[in-house]
Amino acid sequence: MENYYQPEIECASAEQIRAWQNERLVKQVKHVYDNVPYYRKKMVEKGVEPGDVKSIDDLYKLPFLTKDDLREAYPYGLLAKPLEDCVRIQSTSGTTGRRVVAFYTQNDIDLWDECCARAIVAAGGTNKDVVHVCYGYGLFTGGPGLNGGSHKVGSLTLPMSSGNTERQIQFMTDLGSTILCCTPSYAAYLAESIIERGLQGSIKLKAGIFGAEAWTEEMRHDIEEKLGIKAYDIYGLTEISGPGVSFECSEQTGMHINEDHFIAEIIDPVTEEVLPEGSKGELVFTSITKEAFPLLRYRTRDITVLSREKCSCGRTHVKMKKPMGRSDDMLIVKGVNVFPSQIEMVLMNKGYPANYQIIVDRVHNSDTIEVQVEMTPEMFSDNVGEITGREKELVGALKAMLGIYAKVKLVAPKTIQRSEGKAVRVIDKRNLYK
Ligand code: DLL
């Protein structure tokens, strides 16, 4: 198979994209109304009938769906196809409450693979590449998604799954992996491990496709420099299919949303009002081609900005900025909104590695926040006086970014647990007292 790239779709005119969206949305609303009693009830309660949605201008009339709806309707309540037409389920990690289970027909899998193939091609992938997938395989969508995309491109696919760093590095060097797919935090760990073993010269990586968690530009530069690659962002969520809902191109200034499959809106998370292009708010998706699990106006909780500025790569699909985190990742400490990504930005700018943990607690009815940061081995060999000086400097930089005092504790290299999947950055002990 030759380069899997679809300029007739990815570089289509705005009118063409709109025409596809209008036609598919109308069909999808009818499909959902006819086959998903749970959503039909929501439409009836809002006084909306399928005939009221004639184009994407009418999208605002439809009710939203949230993760709570998915939990309430678990497991089959939002299924729009008979089970005999479904060939797969995937599921979220479900740290709180019930898991979310998404269903796929064979068509749904094909479309998902296609979206991931576009992402691999946008990162420079061809059938000559060796694609090393160390996202987890199984219920998590990361492994299966990139695996399917890589097959479509015709690349040699290494289905490594997560973990066993020693084996990852061995296959990477022996088989000459050229494209690495994993979470950015695991990429940072792999980079650290490769450097420690002095194997930088033995790897052939040229690009990385990293997503599934929020990461900063600072972290991107750090990984790019350490691995000698270009690091591309990829976004997605189980509810809407998995990775590949959007992906970065060579411009690396945001991720193109596959608009022939998904309609994106930005809303004010509090008032639920739809915001104009360029506004920061919560991302909402409507799947217009999925058959088995077609969610309409699903609130992702991810905070981002959409932009239709012309892209130098030629793709015309709308771009979303790197999500700065989820609205439910946002910590409120002493009444101030704090995003872990703001803290990461400060740490990386000051030359610390991407290994940190944020501990929030409540002492005598007052919130406290402590940032534990690993030092590099060079910093660690400084004398104690210098370490205290470093801590003070970080306290000042964090205060300037967050507007509140955060205690800083510098810890020895390798003390903070490494993640093989999504990193756990925040420990909020206040939740224990609820
Ligand atoms: O994380 C799908 C995925 C796998 C995306 C591999 C990219 C690569 P979930 O486990 O359902 O699915 O988690 C979805 O992860 O709502 C975001 O909050 C976050 N997320 C995903 N990609 C990014 C990204 C997968 N590139 C949730 N930047 C989403 C920031 C991301 N956050």
Side-chain angles (χ1 to χ4, degrees), residues 24-80:
R24 292 172 187 181
L25 174 67
V26 169
K27 216 169 122 202
Q28 189 70 304
V29 171
K30 187 168 178 332
H31 172 55
V32 172
Y33 187 87
D34 289 346
N35 296 294
V36 185
Y38 186 94
Y39 196 78
R40 179 163 65 233
K41 183 161 167 270
K42 275 185 165 268
M43 283 177 67
V44 170
E45 278 165 8
K46 219 179 164 214
V48 196
E49 291 188 3
D52 296 333
V53 180
K54 297 190 178 67
S55 74
I56 56 171
D57 291 337
D58 299 320
L59 192 58
Y60 74 94
K61 295 177 181 166
L62 291 168
F64 290 108
L65 278 171
T66 64
K67 201 159 216 161
D68 285 343
D69 288 307
L70 268 63
R71 290 192 173 125
E72 198 181 318
Y74 174 89
Y76 296 126
L78 288 160
L79 186 62

Side-chain angles (χ1 to χ4, degrees), residues 92 135 140-142 211-215 233-239 242-243 255 300 302 323 326 422:
T92 57
Y135 287 113
F140 179 53
T141 53
E213 63 188 11
W215 54 309
D233 204 350
I234 183 166
Y235 169 91
L237 58 168
T238 314
E239 299 90 313
M255 295 176 272
T300 64
D302 293 319
R326 299 171 58 79
K422 301 192 191 220

Side-chain angles (χ1 to χ4, degrees), residues 416-429:
I416 292 177
Q417 203 186 347
R418 301 295 186 266
S419 89
E420 292 166 352
K422 301 192 191 220
V424 180
R425 304 287 195 200
V426 179
I427 300 173
D428 194 342
K429 295 186 174 168

Side-chain angles (χ1 to χ4, degrees), residues 125-133 150 155-158 160 167-181 194 199-207 227 229:
T126 70
N127 57 352
K128 300 195 175 59
D129 278 294
V130 179
V131 176
H132 188 113
V133 185
S150 172
S155 311
L156 176 63
T157 312
L158 306 192
M160 302 298 301
R167 189 179 59 192
Q168 301 281 0
I169 297 175
Q170 188 176 355
F171 270 81
M172 199 177 281
T173 48
D174 291 352
L175 292 165
S177 307
T178 52
I179 299 182
L180 174 65
C181 306
I194 289 167
L199 289 173
Q200 298 99 303
S202 313
I203 58 164
K204 295 208 171 63
L205 289 178
K206 63 175 191 189
L227 286 176
I229 61 171

Side-chain angles (χ1 to χ4, degrees), residues 101-118:
V101 177
F103 298 82
Y104 303 75
T105 61
Q106 186 56 52
N107 265 343
D108 294 335
I109 298 278
D110 291 343
L111 296 178
W112 177 25
D113 288 351
E114 184 177 299
C115 289
C116 288
R118 287 182 194 171

